Amino acid sequence: MKIDHIGIAVKTLSEAAKTYEDTLGLKRSSEDQVEEQGVRLAMLDIGESRLELLEPTRPDSPIGKFLSKRGEGLHHIALQVENIELMLANLKAAGIRLIDEKPRSGAHNSRVAFIHPSSTHGVLLELVQYGE
Amino acid sequence: MKIDHIGIAVKTLSEAAKTYEDTLGLKRSSEDQVEEQGVRLAMLDIGESRLELLEPTRPDSPIGKFLSKRGEGLHHIALQVENIELMLANLKAAGIRLIDEKPRSGAHNSRVAFIHPSSTHGVLLELVQYGE
């Protein structure tokens, strides 16, 4: 298991990406827009992981609501796993509250599922499995 | 550069560590107490990085204040750098607000410095350099 990415909610993607590129020297590896989630995102490489900057495309999206409630900042941690179904089954058996009981499609041929922060001491965790 | 660790503020270290160990299968690599910072901490290995669980030893410590204001959850990201002085000089020259203008001593023969979240879109960043 490794950290796939750390999600950061921001108001303006271009400004935030520029800050992280210019001041920390990170390199933007991809950009994307997921209309279903109401989010525009940019990935910045760091070691084996990435920072994922998330800007809402509408105020009632999950990131839009997060921003109005808590402001910009750390949003979630995504962990790369080898067998997401097995992981979800084990978590459910252990009484962990899942947001997604089954994986759904993510970017770059991945399957993803979120774990509810009430079961992980306030941290929104995402599981990611790539390929098949 | 890589992610050294992700800091997570928790109410009870033993409970939180057990959750992360039992449900995610992470392994605890070290525990520590830094009385000056009013914090007790446990490190959990994940890939090339670690999760740092932080429990306050007194309510008026930085983590104690964070908990009463925001509750449990993501607190900071620490980036491992090769030349912390150069990095701080570059950040200062770029107009970034620093919490520590000079590195101070951290755990495991490290030097650390914090960057103010007002300059990094709400994210409290820590720079860490190990050894000499």
mmCIF file of all heavy atoms in Angstrom, chain A residues 1 3 6 8 16 19-20 23-24 46-49 70 72-74 77 79 87 91 96 119-123 125, chain B residues 1 3 6 8 16 19-20 23-24 46-49 70 72-74 77 79 87 91 96 119-123 125:
data_model
loop_
_atom_site.group_PDB
_atom_site.id
_atom_site.type_symbol
_atom_site.label_atom_id
_atom_site.label_comp_id
_atom_site.label_asym_id
_atom_site.label_seq_id
_atom_site.Cartn_x
_atom_site.Cartn_y
_atom_site.Cartn_z
ATOM 1 N N MET A 1 0.847 -1.193 0.000
ATOM 2 C CA MET A 1 0.000 0.000 0.000
ATOM 3 C C MET A 1 0.891 1.255 0.000
ATOM 4 O O MET A 1 1.963 1.259 0.567
ATOM 5 C CB MET A 1 -0.887 -0.008 1.261
ATOM 6 C CG MET A 1 -2.199 0.740 1.083
ATOM 7 S SD MET A 1 -3.095 0.944 2.637
ATOM 8 C CE MET A 1 -3.527 -0.755 3.004
ATOM 9 N N ILE A 3 0.594 5.907 -0.505
ATOM 10 C CA ILE A 3 -0.266 7.072 -0.685
ATOM 11 C C ILE A 3 -0.342 7.373 -2.176
ATOM 12 O O ILE A 3 0.677 7.677 -2.807
ATOM 13 C CB ILE A 3 0.276 8.296 0.081
ATOM 14 C CG1 ILE A 3 0.274 8.004 1.592
ATOM 15 C CG2 ILE A 3 -0.558 9.548 -0.225
ATOM 16 C CD1 ILE A 3 1.013 9.033 2.423
ATOM 17 N N ILE A 6 -2.913 13.111 -2.164
ATOM 18 C CA ILE A 6 -3.568 13.878 -1.096
ATOM 19 C C ILE A 6 -4.445 14.917 -1.781
ATOM 20 O O ILE A 6 -3.950 15.709 -2.597
ATOM 21 C CB ILE A 6 -2.541 14.590 -0.200
ATOM 22 C CG1 ILE A 6 -1.573 13.571 0.424
ATOM 23 C CG2 ILE A 6 -3.251 15.377 0.904
ATOM 24 C CD1 ILE A 6 -0.422 14.226 1.179
ATOM 25 N N ILE A 8 -6.631 18.273 -2.032
ATOM 26 C CA ILE A 8 -6.642 19.607 -1.417
ATOM 27 C C ILE A 8 -7.721 20.447 -2.093
ATOM 28 O O ILE A 8 -7.709 20.603 -3.319
ATOM 29 C CB ILE A 8 -5.259 20.290 -1.589
ATOM 30 C CG1 ILE A 8 -4.170 19.456 -0.908
ATOM 31 C CG2 ILE A 8 -5.282 21.720 -1.044
ATOM 32 C CD1 ILE A 8 -2.751 19.913 -1.206
ATOM 33 N N ALA A 16 -3.756 28.109 -7.423
ATOM 34 C CA ALA A 16 -3.189 27.142 -6.475
ATOM 35 C C ALA A 16 -2.077 26.333 -7.142
ATOM 36 O O ALA A 16 -1.009 26.125 -6.555
ATOM 37 C CB ALA A 16 -4.280 26.217 -5.953
ATOM 38 N N THR A 19 1.024 28.382 -7.370
ATOM 39 C CA THR A 19 1.700 28.477 -6.070
ATOM 40 C C THR A 19 2.544 27.239 -5.806
ATOM 41 O O THR A 19 3.721 27.329 -5.451
ATOM 42 C CB THR A 19 0.662 28.617 -4.928
ATOM 43 O OG1 THR A 19 -0.127 29.771 -5.162
ATOM 44 C CG2 THR A 19 1.352 28.732 -3.578
ATOM 45 N N TYR A 20 1.931 26.072 -5.982
ATOM 46 C CA TYR A 20 2.646 24.832 -5.680
ATOM 47 C C TYR A 20 3.786 24.563 -6.665
ATOM 48 O O TYR A 20 4.819 24.008 -6.300
ATOM 49 C CB TYR A 20 1.667 23.646 -5.609
ATOM 50 C CG TYR A 20 0.968 23.587 -4.271
ATOM 51 C CD1 TYR A 20 -0.209 24.298 -4.034
ATOM 52 C CD2 TYR A 20 1.511 22.867 -3.219
ATOM 53 C CE1 TYR A 20 -0.830 24.278 -2.798
ATOM 54 C CE2 TYR A 20 0.905 22.835 -1.982
ATOM 55 C CZ TYR A 20 -0.273 23.539 -1.773
ATOM 56 O OH TYR A 20 -0.862 23.513 -0.554
ATOM 57 N N THR A 23 6.512 27.796 -5.978
ATOM 58 C CA THR A 23 7.186 27.904 -4.684
ATOM 59 C C THR A 23 7.800 26.588 -4.221
ATOM 60 O O THR A 23 8.818 26.587 -3.552
ATOM 61 C CB THR A 23 6.223 28.406 -3.584
ATOM 62 O OG1 THR A 23 5.195 27.445 -3.415
ATOM 63 C CG2 THR A 23 5.597 29.737 -3.964
ATOM 64 N N LEU A 24 7.185 25.460 -4.581
ATOM 65 C CA LEU A 24 7.730 24.185 -4.114
ATOM 66 C C LEU A 24 8.448 23.435 -5.231
ATOM 67 O O LEU A 24 9.089 22.409 -4.988
ATOM 68 C CB LEU A 24 6.606 23.309 -3.538
ATOM 69 C CG LEU A 24 5.970 23.855 -2.251
ATOM 70 C CD1 LEU A 24 4.732 23.063 -1.904
ATOM 71 C CD2 LEU A 24 6.965 23.814 -1.090
ATOM 72 N N ILE A 46 4.798 14.189 -6.601
ATOM 73 C CA ILE A 46 5.733 14.332 -5.477
ATOM 74 C C ILE A 46 6.123 12.936 -5.002
ATOM 75 O O ILE A 46 5.305 12.213 -4.446
ATOM 76 C CB ILE A 46 5.146 15.205 -4.351
ATOM 77 C CG1 ILE A 46 6.131 15.284 -3.183
ATOM 78 C CG2 ILE A 46 3.776 14.766 -3.888
ATOM 79 C CD1 ILE A 46 5.914 16.470 -2.293
ATOM 80 N N GLY A 47 7.388 12.539 -5.298
ATOM 81 C CA GLY A 47 7.837 11.188 -4.983
ATOM 82 C C GLY A 47 6.944 10.176 -5.665
ATOM 83 O O GLY A 47 6.565 10.356 -6.828
ATOM 84 N N GLU A 48 6.559 9.124 -4.933
ATOM 85 C CA GLU A 48 5.681 8.098 -5.502
ATOM 86 C C GLU A 48 4.209 8.513 -5.433
ATOM 87 O O GLU A 48 3.336 7.757 -5.839
ATOM 88 C CB GLU A 48 5.886 6.763 -4.765
ATOM 89 C CG GLU A 48 5.438 6.812 -3.305
ATOM 90 C CD GLU A 48 5.679 5.510 -2.533
ATOM 91 O OE1 GLU A 48 6.419 4.641 -3.032
ATOM 92 O OE2 GLU A 48 5.118 5.396 -1.417
ATOM 93 N N SER A 49 3.932 9.715 -4.897
ATOM 94 C CA SER A 49 2.559 10.179 -4.684
ATOM 95 C C SER A 49 2.288 11.437 -5.505
ATOM 96 O O SER A 49 3.117 11.881 -6.296
ATOM 97 C CB SER A 49 2.336 10.470 -3.195
ATOM 98 O OG SER A 49 2.707 9.364 -2.408
ATOM 99 N N ARG A 70 -15.549 24.810 5.414
ATOM 100 C CA ARG A 70 -14.249 24.765 6.084
ATOM 101 C C ARG A 70 -13.181 25.629 5.432
ATOM 102 O O ARG A 70 -12.103 25.809 5.997
ATOM 103 C CB ARG A 70 -13.743 23.308 6.148
ATOM 104 C CG ARG A 70 -14.802 22.349 6.687
ATOM 105 C CD ARG A 70 -14.259 21.112 7.350
ATOM 106 N NE ARG A 70 -13.213 21.335 8.316
ATOM 107 C CZ ARG A 70 -12.844 20.457 9.254
ATOM 108 N NH1 ARG A 70 -13.471 19.308 9.349
ATOM 109 N NH2 ARG A 70 -11.871 20.711 10.086
ATOM 110 N N GLU A 72 -10.433 26.612 2.190
ATOM 111 C CA GLU A 72 -9.418 25.846 1.464
ATOM 112 C C GLU A 72 -8.604 24.976 2.423
ATOM 113 O O GLU A 72 -8.399 25.351 3.571
ATOM 114 C CB GLU A 72 -8.465 26.802 0.746
ATOM 115 C CG GLU A 72 -9.100 27.585 -0.392
ATOM 116 C CD GLU A 72 -8.052 28.343 -1.208
ATOM 117 O OE1 GLU A 72 -7.251 29.060 -0.586
ATOM 118 O OE2 GLU A 72 -8.040 28.218 -2.433
ATOM 119 N N GLY A 73 -8.114 23.850 1.914
ATOM 120 C CA GLY A 73 -7.227 23.025 2.732
ATOM 121 C C GLY A 73 -7.322 21.551 2.439
ATOM 122 O O GLY A 73 -7.967 21.124 1.468
ATOM 123 N N LEU A 74 -6.705 20.764 3.306
ATOM 124 C CA LEU A 74 -6.638 19.311 3.139
ATOM 125 C C LEU A 74 -8.031 18.704 3.117
ATOM 126 O O LEU A 74 -8.847 18.978 4.001
ATOM 127 C CB LEU A 74 -5.826 18.703 4.285
ATOM 128 C CG LEU A 74 -4.336 19.092 4.298
ATOM 129 C CD1 LEU A 74 -3.681 18.657 5.607
ATOM 130 C CD2 LEU A 74 -3.620 18.464 3.115
ATOM 131 N N ILE A 77 -7.233 11.721 1.859
ATOM 132 C CA ILE A 77 -6.040 10.948 1.489
ATOM 133 C C ILE A 77 -6.503 9.760 0.673
ATOM 134 O O ILE A 77 -7.452 9.070 1.065
ATOM 135 C CB ILE A 77 -5.297 10.364 2.715
ATOM 136 C CG1 ILE A 77 -4.980 11.432 3.753
ATOM 137 C CG2 ILE A 77 -4.011 9.678 2.280
ATOM 138 C CD1 ILE A 77 -4.289 10.835 4.999
ATOM 139 N N LEU A 79 -5.406 6.078 -0.801
ATOM 140 C CA LEU A 79 -4.437 4.993 -0.637
ATOM 141 C C LEU A 79 -4.552 4.040 -1.814
ATOM 142 O O LEU A 79 -5.653 3.598 -2.161
ATOM 143 C CB LEU A 79 -4.731 4.229 0.655
ATOM 144 C CG LEU A 79 -4.839 5.074 1.929
ATOM 145 C CD1 LEU A 79 -5.197 4.196 3.119
ATOM 146 C CD2 LEU A 79 -3.531 5.827 2.177
ATOM 147 N N MET A 87 -10.462 -5.403 0.320
ATOM 148 C CA MET A 87 -10.279 -4.354 1.328
ATOM 149 C C MET A 87 -11.636 -3.868 1.839
ATOM 150 O O MET A 87 -11.832 -3.740 3.057
ATOM 151 C CB MET A 87 -9.519 -3.197 0.667
ATOM 152 C CG MET A 87 -8.950 -2.219 1.630
ATOM 153 S SD MET A 87 -7.411 -2.824 2.358
ATOM 154 C CE MET A 87 -6.940 -1.402 3.319
ATOM 155 N N LEU A 91 -13.116 -4.182 5.612
ATOM 156 C CA LEU A 91 -13.503 -2.974 6.351
ATOM 157 C C LEU A 91 -14.943 -3.089 6.831
ATOM 158 O O LEU A 91 -15.264 -2.780 7.976
ATOM 159 C CB LEU A 91 -13.336 -1.736 5.462
ATOM 160 C CG LEU A 91 -11.885 -1.350 5.126
ATOM 161 C CD1 LEU A 91 -11.851 -0.282 4.035
ATOM 162 C CD2 LEU A 91 -11.151 -0.853 6.369
ATOM 163 N N ILE A 96 -16.494 -0.827 9.871
ATOM 164 C CA ILE A 96 -16.123 0.506 9.365
ATOM 165 C C ILE A 96 -17.235 1.020 8.450
ATOM 166 O O ILE A 96 -17.749 0.265 7.612
ATOM 167 C CB ILE A 96 -14.794 0.420 8.574
ATOM 168 C CG1 ILE A 96 -13.656 -0.040 9.490
ATOM 169 C CG2 ILE A 96 -14.473 1.749 7.901
ATOM 170 C CD1 ILE A 96 -13.228 0.931 10.535
ATOM 171 N N SER A 119 -15.411 6.834 10.822
ATOM 172 C CA SER A 119 -14.770 5.575 11.224
ATOM 173 C C SER A 119 -13.253 5.662 11.239
ATOM 174 O O SER A 119 -12.582 4.712 11.634
ATOM 175 C CB SER A 119 -15.168 4.450 10.264
ATOM 176 O OG SER A 119 -16.483 4.014 10.514
ATOM 177 N N THR A 120 -12.687 6.777 10.774
ATOM 178 C CA THR A 120 -11.226 6.873 10.648
ATOM 179 C C THR A 120 -10.709 8.165 11.289
ATOM 180 O O THR A 120 -9.840 8.830 10.744
ATOM 181 C CB THR A 120 -10.810 6.824 9.158
ATOM 182 O OG1 THR A 120 -11.634 7.762 8.440
ATOM 183 C CG2 THR A 120 -10.986 5.448 8.578
ATOM 184 N N HIS A 121 -11.305 8.497 12.436
ATOM 185 C CA HIS A 121 -10.843 9.650 13.224
ATOM 186 C C HIS A 121 -10.787 10.936 12.389
ATOM 187 O O HIS A 121 -9.792 11.652 12.404
ATOM 188 C CB HIS A 121 -9.500 9.337 13.887
ATOM 189 C CG HIS A 121 -9.619 8.224 14.886
ATOM 190 N ND1 HIS A 121 -9.816 8.435 16.226
ATOM 191 C CD2 HIS A 121 -9.659 6.879 14.708
ATOM 192 C CE1 HIS A 121 -9.946 7.279 16.845
ATOM 193 N NE2 HIS A 121 -9.857 6.313 15.943
ATOM 194 N N GLY A 122 -11.871 11.197 11.673
ATOM 195 C CA GLY A 122 -12.023 12.482 10.996
ATOM 196 C C GLY A 122 -11.351 12.601 9.639
ATOM 197 O O GLY A 122 -11.402 13.653 9.019
ATOM 198 N N VAL A 123 -10.705 11.505 9.187
ATOM 199 C CA VAL A 123 -9.996 11.568 7.900
ATOM 200 C C VAL A 123 -10.839 10.895 6.805
ATOM 201 O O VAL A 123 -11.212 9.730 6.934
ATOM 202 C CB VAL A 123 -8.627 10.857 7.991
ATOM 203 C CG1 VAL A 123 -7.921 10.895 6.636
ATOM 204 C CG2 VAL A 123 -7.769 11.499 9.069
ATOM 205 N N LEU A 125 -10.969 8.956 3.730
ATOM 206 C CA LEU A 125 -10.022 8.092 3.017
ATOM 207 C C LEU A 125 -10.644 7.594 1.728
ATOM 208 O O LEU A 125 -11.808 7.214 1.698
ATOM 209 C CB LEU A 125 -9.658 6.875 3.874
ATOM 210 C CG LEU A 125 -8.684 7.066 5.030
ATOM 211 C CD1 LEU A 125 -8.491 5.731 5.752
ATOM 212 C CD2 LEU A 125 -7.331 7.585 4.545
ATOM 213 N N MET B 1 12.085 15.462 -3.967
ATOM 214 C CA MET B 1 11.166 15.732 -2.861
ATOM 215 C C MET B 1 10.147 14.598 -2.748
ATOM 216 O O MET B 1 9.767 14.014 -3.763
ATOM 217 C CB MET B 1 10.429 17.054 -3.115
ATOM 218 C CG MET B 1 10.017 17.768 -1.840
ATOM 219 S SD MET B 1 8.923 19.174 -2.169
ATOM 220 C CE MET B 1 10.059 20.295 -2.969
ATOM 221 N N ILE B 3 6.748 12.985 0.041
ATOM 222 C CA ILE B 3 5.943 13.195 1.240
ATOM 223 C C ILE B 3 6.593 12.413 2.372
ATOM 224 O O ILE B 3 6.697 11.188 2.315
ATOM 225 C CB ILE B 3 4.484 12.720 1.027
ATOM 226 C CG1 ILE B 3 3.809 13.570 -0.060
ATOM 227 C CG2 ILE B 3 3.692 12.803 2.335
ATOM 228 C CD1 ILE B 3 2.465 13.020 -0.523
ATOM 229 N N ILE B 6 2.059 12.516 6.744
ATOM 230 C CA ILE B 6 0.833 13.303 6.839
ATOM 231 C C ILE B 6 0.428 13.310 8.306
ATOM 232 O O ILE B 6 0.262 12.251 8.915
ATOM 233 C CB ILE B 6 -0.304 12.677 6.001
ATOM 234 C CG1 ILE B 6 0.113 12.550 4.528
ATOM 235 C CG2 ILE B 6 -1.578 13.513 6.109
ATOM 236 C CD1 ILE B 6 -0.890 11.783 3.680
ATOM 237 N N ILE B 8 -2.049 13.788 11.417
ATOM 238 C CA ILE B 8 -3.485 13.639 11.697
ATOM 239 C C ILE B 8 -3.719 13.886 13.180
ATOM 240 O O ILE B 8 -3.122 13.216 14.027
ATOM 241 C CB ILE B 8 -3.958 12.215 11.314
ATOM 242 C CG1 ILE B 8 -3.742 11.978 9.809
ATOM 243 C CG2 ILE B 8 -5.424 12.002 11.693
ATOM 244 C CD1 ILE B 8 -3.950 10.533 9.378
ATOM 245 N N ALA B 16 -6.793 5.461 17.930
ATOM 246 C CA ALA B 16 -6.597 5.806 16.520
ATOM 247 C C ALA B 16 -5.572 4.875 15.876
ATOM 248 O O ALA B 16 -5.779 4.373 14.769
ATOM 249 C CB ALA B 16 -6.155 7.256 16.388
ATOM 250 N N THR B 19 -7.152 1.563 15.185
ATOM 251 C CA THR B 19 -8.023 1.633 14.005
ATOM 252 C C THR B 19 -7.212 1.513 12.717
ATOM 253 O O THR B 19 -7.532 0.723 11.829
ATOM 254 C CB THR B 19 -8.799 2.972 13.968
ATOM 255 O OG1 THR B 19 -9.568 3.084 15.158
ATOM 256 C CG2 THR B 19 -9.713 3.046 12.760
ATOM 257 N N TYR B 20 -6.168 2.315 12.623
ATOM 258 C CA TYR B 20 -5.369 2.323 11.388
ATOM 259 C C TYR B 20 -4.597 1.022 11.203
ATOM 260 O O TYR B 20 -4.405 0.564 10.081
ATOM 261 C CB TYR B 20 -4.446 3.542 11.343
ATOM 262 C CG TYR B 20 -5.184 4.784 10.889
ATOM 263 C CD1 TYR B 20 -5.852 5.597 11.794
ATOM 264 C CD2 TYR B 20 -5.252 5.113 9.540
ATOM 265 C CE1 TYR B 20 -6.557 6.716 11.371
ATOM 266 C CE2 TYR B 20 -5.959 6.226 9.107
ATOM 267 C CZ TYR B 20 -6.607 7.017 10.027
ATOM 268 O OH TYR B 20 -7.318 8.109 9.592
ATOM 269 N N THR B 23 -7.669 -1.944 10.718
ATOM 270 C CA THR B 23 -8.545 -1.884 9.552
ATOM 271 C C THR B 23 -7.784 -1.704 8.245
ATOM 272 O O THR B 23 -8.213 -2.192 7.219
ATOM 273 C CB THR B 23 -9.579 -0.743 9.686
ATOM 274 O OG1 THR B 23 -8.901 0.498 9.702
ATOM 275 C CG2 THR B 23 -10.384 -0.882 10.956
ATOM 276 N N LEU B 24 -6.652 -0.980 8.295
ATOM 277 C CA LEU B 24 -5.920 -0.759 7.041
ATOM 278 C C LEU B 24 -4.663 -1.626 6.959
ATOM 279 O O LEU B 24 -4.021 -1.688 5.918
ATOM 280 C CB LEU B 24 -5.542 0.715 6.901
ATOM 281 C CG LEU B 24 -6.745 1.663 6.742
ATOM 282 C CD1 LEU B 24 -6.303 3.102 6.885
ATOM 283 C CD2 LEU B 24 -7.422 1.450 5.387
ATOM 284 N N ILE B 46 3.636 3.782 5.446
ATOM 285 C CA ILE B 46 2.834 3.544 4.253
ATOM 286 C C ILE B 46 3.664 3.941 3.034
ATOM 287 O O ILE B 46 3.929 5.130 2.826
ATOM 288 C CB ILE B 46 1.464 4.271 4.314
ATOM 289 C CG1 ILE B 46 0.697 4.024 3.040
ATOM 290 C CG2 ILE B 46 1.582 5.741 4.648
ATOM 291 C CD1 ILE B 46 -0.785 4.279 3.159
ATOM 292 N N GLY B 47 4.108 2.936 2.263
ATOM 293 C CA GLY B 47 5.002 3.190 1.131
ATOM 294 C C GLY B 47 6.244 3.914 1.606
ATOM 295 O O GLY B 47 6.806 3.575 2.651
ATOM 296 N N GLU B 48 6.655 4.942 0.856
ATOM 297 C CA GLU B 48 7.850 5.704 1.235
ATOM 298 C C GLU B 48 7.515 6.778 2.276
ATOM 299 O O GLU B 48 8.394 7.536 2.680
ATOM 300 C CB GLU B 48 8.462 6.364 -0.009
ATOM 301 C CG GLU B 48 7.575 7.422 -0.639
ATOM 302 C CD GLU B 48 8.139 8.058 -1.916
ATOM 303 O OE1 GLU B 48 9.110 7.533 -2.479
ATOM 304 O OE2 GLU B 48 7.573 9.092 -2.335
ATOM 305 N N SER B 49 6.239 6.841 2.687
ATOM 306 C CA SER B 49 5.782 7.891 3.605
ATOM 307 C C SER B 49 5.265 7.288 4.908
ATOM 308 O O SER B 49 5.362 6.086 5.129
ATOM 309 C CB SER B 49 4.671 8.712 2.941
ATOM 310 O OG SER B 49 5.071 9.185 1.682
ATOM 311 N N ARG B 70 -11.525 22.355 15.254
ATOM 312 C CA ARG B 70 -11.918 21.653 14.025
ATOM 313 C C ARG B 70 -12.255 20.186 14.221
ATOM 314 O O ARG B 70 -12.750 19.535 13.301
ATOM 315 C CB ARG B 70 -10.812 21.766 12.962
ATOM 316 C CG ARG B 70 -10.342 23.215 12.785
ATOM 317 C CD ARG B 70 -9.769 23.527 11.434
ATOM 318 N NE ARG B 70 -10.557 23.082 10.299
ATOM 319 C CZ ARG B 70 -10.437 23.550 9.058
ATOM 320 N NH1 ARG B 70 -9.563 24.489 8.802
ATOM 321 N NH2 ARG B 70 -11.160 23.090 8.080
ATOM 322 N N GLU B 72 -11.168 16.052 15.116
ATOM 323 C CA GLU B 72 -10.150 15.144 14.596
ATOM 324 C C GLU B 72 -10.042 15.264 13.075
ATOM 325 O O GLU B 72 -11.028 15.534 12.396
ATOM 326 C CB GLU B 72 -10.528 13.701 14.942
ATOM 327 C CG GLU B 72 -10.456 13.376 16.429
ATOM 328 C CD GLU B 72 -10.606 11.882 16.682
ATOM 329 O OE1 GLU B 72 -11.578 11.296 16.160
ATOM 330 O OE2 GLU B 72 -9.770 11.312 17.381
ATOM 331 N N GLY B 73 -8.857 15.006 12.552
ATOM 332 C CA GLY B 73 -8.711 14.982 11.102
ATOM 333 C C GLY B 73 -7.340 15.417 10.623
ATOM 334 O O GLY B 73 -6.395 15.570 11.416
ATOM 335 N N LEU B 74 -7.242 15.621 9.302
ATOM 336 C CA LEU B 74 -5.979 15.975 8.660
ATOM 337 C C LEU B 74 -5.442 17.294 9.210
ATOM 338 O O LEU B 74 -6.157 18.290 9.266
ATOM 339 C CB LEU B 74 -6.191 16.094 7.148
ATOM 340 C CG LEU B 74 -6.554 14.782 6.439
ATOM 341 C CD1 LEU B 74 -7.009 15.040 5.007
ATOM 342 C CD2 LEU B 74 -5.358 13.835 6.450
ATOM 343 N N ILE B 77 0.867 18.429 6.092
ATOM 344 C CA ILE B 77 1.679 17.554 5.229
ATOM 345 C C ILE B 77 3.135 17.934 5.440
ATOM 346 O O ILE B 77 3.473 19.123 5.418
ATOM 347 C CB ILE B 77 1.395 17.762 3.723
ATOM 348 C CG1 ILE B 77 -0.092 17.659 3.406
ATOM 349 C CG2 ILE B 77 2.184 16.756 2.889
ATOM 350 C CD1 ILE B 77 -0.377 17.922 1.916
ATOM 351 N N LEU B 79 6.945 17.584 3.902
ATOM 352 C CA LEU B 79 7.692 17.262 2.689
ATOM 353 C C LEU B 79 9.163 17.104 3.030
ATOM 354 O O LEU B 79 9.742 17.965 3.702
ATOM 355 C CB LEU B 79 7.534 18.389 1.664
ATOM 356 C CG LEU B 79 6.092 18.807 1.344
ATOM 357 C CD1 LEU B 79 6.097 19.987 0.384
ATOM 358 C CD2 LEU B 79 5.325 17.631 0.765
ATOM 359 N N MET B 87 15.588 26.112 0.554
ATOM 360 C CA MET B 87 14.141 26.107 0.321
ATOM 361 C C MET B 87 13.477 27.270 1.054
ATOM 362 O O MET B 87 12.662 27.988 0.477
ATOM 363 C CB MET B 87 13.585 24.771 0.850
ATOM 364 C CG MET B 87 12.207 24.459 0.408
ATOM 365 S SD MET B 87 12.198 23.815 -1.272
ATOM 366 C CE MET B 87 10.462 23.426 -1.437
ATOM 367 N N LEU B 91 11.510 30.420 -0.610
ATOM 368 C CA LEU B 91 10.113 30.678 -0.250
ATOM 369 C C LEU B 91 9.950 32.110 0.251
ATOM 370 O O LEU B 91 9.016 32.811 -0.131
ATOM 371 C CB LEU B 91 9.646 29.681 0.821
ATOM 372 C CG LEU B 91 9.506 28.229 0.358
ATOM 373 C CD1 LEU B 91 9.321 27.305 1.559
ATOM 374 C CD2 LEU B 91 8.334 28.074 -0.606
ATOM 375 N N ILE B 96 6.369 34.067 0.390
ATOM 376 C CA ILE B 96 5.602 33.075 1.140
ATOM 377 C C ILE B 96 5.765 33.338 2.641
ATOM 378 O O ILE B 96 6.873 33.600 3.108
ATOM 379 C CB ILE B 96 6.099 31.643 0.807
ATOM 380 C CG1 ILE B 96 5.881 31.339 -0.683
ATOM 381 C CG2 ILE B 96 5.445 30.597 1.699
ATOM 382 C CD1 ILE B 96 4.464 31.176 -1.114
ATOM 383 N N SER B 119 -0.379 31.056 2.901
ATOM 384 C CA SER B 119 0.369 31.174 1.639
ATOM 385 C C SER B 119 0.245 29.930 0.762
ATOM 386 O O SER B 119 0.748 29.908 -0.353
ATOM 387 C CB SER B 119 1.862 31.417 1.919
ATOM 388 O OG SER B 119 2.083 32.737 2.334
ATOM 389 N N THR B 120 -0.363 28.882 1.279
ATOM 390 C CA THR B 120 -0.405 27.612 0.531
ATOM 391 C C THR B 120 -1.831 27.070 0.461
ATOM 392 O O THR B 120 -2.053 25.872 0.611
ATOM 393 C CB THR B 120 0.510 26.559 1.201
ATOM 394 O OG1 THR B 120 0.220 26.552 2.606
ATOM 395 C CG2 THR B 120 1.972 26.866 0.979
ATOM 396 N N HIS B 121 -2.776 27.976 0.243
ATOM 397 C CA HIS B 121 -4.181 27.594 0.042
ATOM 398 C C HIS B 121 -4.722 26.701 1.166
ATOM 399 O O HIS B 121 -5.339 25.666 0.912
ATOM 400 C CB HIS B 121 -4.365 26.957 -1.341
ATOM 401 C CG HIS B 121 -4.072 27.925 -2.442
ATOM 402 N ND1 HIS B 121 -5.035 28.668 -3.073
ATOM 403 C CD2 HIS B 121 -2.894 28.337 -2.965
ATOM 404 C CE1 HIS B 121 -4.474 29.478 -3.953
ATOM 405 N NE2 HIS B 121 -3.172 29.294 -3.917
ATOM 406 N N GLY B 122 -4.456 27.140 2.390
ATOM 407 C CA GLY B 122 -5.072 26.492 3.548
ATOM 408 C C GLY B 122 -4.378 25.250 4.055
ATOM 409 O O GLY B 122 -4.854 24.629 4.997
ATOM 410 N N VAL B 123 -3.242 24.896 3.433
ATOM 411 C CA VAL B 123 -2.541 23.672 3.855
ATOM 412 C C VAL B 123 -1.338 24.031 4.718
ATOM 413 O O VAL B 123 -0.460 24.790 4.287
ATOM 414 C CB VAL B 123 -2.065 22.861 2.631
ATOM 415 C CG1 VAL B 123 -1.310 21.616 3.089
ATOM 416 C CG2 VAL B 123 -3.238 22.484 1.745
ATOM 417 N N LEU B 125 2.068 23.287 5.784
ATOM 418 C CA LEU B 125 3.162 22.468 5.242
ATOM 419 C C LEU B 125 4.354 22.497 6.184
ATOM 420 O O LEU B 125 4.696 23.549 6.723
ATOM 421 C CB LEU B 125 3.618 22.999 3.882
ATOM 422 C CG LEU B 125 2.754 22.734 2.661
ATOM 423 C CD1 LEU B 125 3.369 23.409 1.438
ATOM 424 C CD2 LEU B 125 2.588 21.241 2.410
#
